[in-house]
PDB file of all heavy atoms in Angstrom:
ATOM      1  N   THR A  20       1.085 -10.631   2.584  1.00 88.00           N
ATOM      2  CA  THR A  20       2.114 -11.654   2.776  1.00 88.00           C
ATOM      3  C   THR A  20       1.718 -12.562   3.937  1.00 88.00           C
ATOM      4  O   THR A  20       1.308 -12.083   5.002  1.00 88.00           O
ATOM      5  CB  THR A  20       3.473 -10.994   3.093  1.00 88.00           C
ATOM      6  OG1 THR A  20       3.792 -10.060   2.066  1.00 88.00           O
ATOM      7  CG2 THR A  20       4.578 -12.033   3.189  1.00 88.00           C
ATOM      8  N   ARG A  74      -7.534   2.224   5.011  1.00 94.00           N
ATOM      9  CA  ARG A  74      -6.932   1.181   5.844  1.00 94.00           C
ATOM     10  C   ARG A  74      -7.177  -0.181   5.213  1.00 94.00           C
ATOM     11  O   ARG A  74      -8.297  -0.514   4.840  1.00 94.00           O
ATOM     12  CB  ARG A  74      -7.531   1.225   7.247  1.00 94.00           C
ATOM     13  CG  ARG A  74      -6.773   0.391   8.266  1.00 94.00           C
ATOM     14  CD  ARG A  74      -7.043   0.904   9.670  1.00 94.00           C
ATOM     15  NE  ARG A  74      -8.451   0.834  10.011  1.00 94.00           N
ATOM     16  CZ  ARG A  74      -8.996  -0.159  10.714  1.00 94.00           C
ATOM     17  NH1 ARG A  74      -8.257  -1.159  11.153  1.00 94.00           N
ATOM     18  NH2 ARG A  74     -10.281  -0.155  10.999  1.00 94.00           N
ATOM     19  N   ARG A 111      -8.163  14.358  -1.708  1.00 98.00           N
ATOM     20  CA  ARG A 111      -8.935  14.838  -2.854  1.00 98.00           C
ATOM     21  C   ARG A 111      -8.848  16.354  -2.845  1.00 98.00           C
ATOM     22  O   ARG A 111      -9.245  17.008  -1.884  1.00 98.00           O
ATOM     23  CB  ARG A 111     -10.393  14.365  -2.747  1.00 98.00           C
ATOM     24  CG  ARG A 111     -11.383  15.113  -3.666  1.00 98.00           C
ATOM     25  CD  ARG A 111     -11.201  14.712  -5.133  1.00 98.00           C
ATOM     26  NE  ARG A 111     -12.184  15.429  -5.953  1.00 98.00           N
ATOM     27  CZ  ARG A 111     -11.907  16.517  -6.672  1.00 98.00           C
ATOM     28  NH1 ARG A 111     -10.677  17.022  -6.678  1.00 98.00           N
ATOM     29  NH2 ARG A 111     -12.837  17.097  -7.401  1.00 98.00           N
ATOM     30  N   LEU A 145      15.649  11.362 -17.304  1.00 98.00           N
ATOM     31  CA  LEU A 145      16.592  11.678 -18.378  1.00 98.00           C
ATOM     32  C   LEU A 145      18.039  11.440 -17.959  1.00 98.00           C
ATOM     33  O   LEU A 145      18.447  11.805 -16.856  1.00 98.00           O
ATOM     34  CB  LEU A 145      16.430  13.144 -18.796  1.00 98.00           C
ATOM     35  CG  LEU A 145      15.047  13.540 -19.340  1.00 98.00           C
ATOM     36  CD1 LEU A 145      14.971  15.046 -19.549  1.00 98.00           C
ATOM     37  CD2 LEU A 145      14.740  12.801 -20.630  1.00 98.00           C
ATOM     38  N   LEU A 182      19.141  25.346 -21.366  1.00 98.00           N
ATOM     39  CA  LEU A 182      18.816  26.765 -21.552  1.00 98.00           C
ATOM     40  C   LEU A 182      18.347  27.040 -22.982  1.00 98.00           C
ATOM     41  O   LEU A 182      17.465  27.891 -23.195  1.00 98.00           O
ATOM     42  CB  LEU A 182      20.024  27.639 -21.201  1.00 98.00           C
ATOM     43  CG  LEU A 182      20.481  27.579 -19.738  1.00 98.00           C
ATOM     44  CD1 LEU A 182      21.623  28.564 -19.497  1.00 98.00           C
ATOM     45  CD2 LEU A 182      19.330  27.854 -18.773  1.00 98.00           C
ATOM     46  N   LYS A 240      -5.745  29.045  -8.876  1.00 98.00           N
ATOM     47  CA  LYS A 240      -5.725  30.322  -8.163  1.00 98.00           C
ATOM     48  C   LYS A 240      -5.203  30.065  -6.750  1.00 98.00           C
ATOM     49  O   LYS A 240      -5.843  29.389  -5.943  1.00 98.00           O
ATOM     50  CB  LYS A 240      -7.147  30.900  -8.125  1.00 98.00           C
ATOM     51  CG  LYS A 240      -7.274  32.187  -7.341  1.00 98.00           C
ATOM     52  CD  LYS A 240      -6.740  33.366  -8.132  1.00 98.00           C
ATOM     53  CE  LYS A 240      -6.999  34.671  -7.371  1.00 98.00           C
ATOM     54  NZ  LYS A 240      -6.200  35.778  -7.923  1.00 98.00           N
TER      55      LYS A 240
END
Side-chain angles (χ1 to χ4, degrees):
T20 305
R74 192 157 60 97
R111 164 73 179 101
L145 299 173
L182 296 184
K240 177 77 175 165

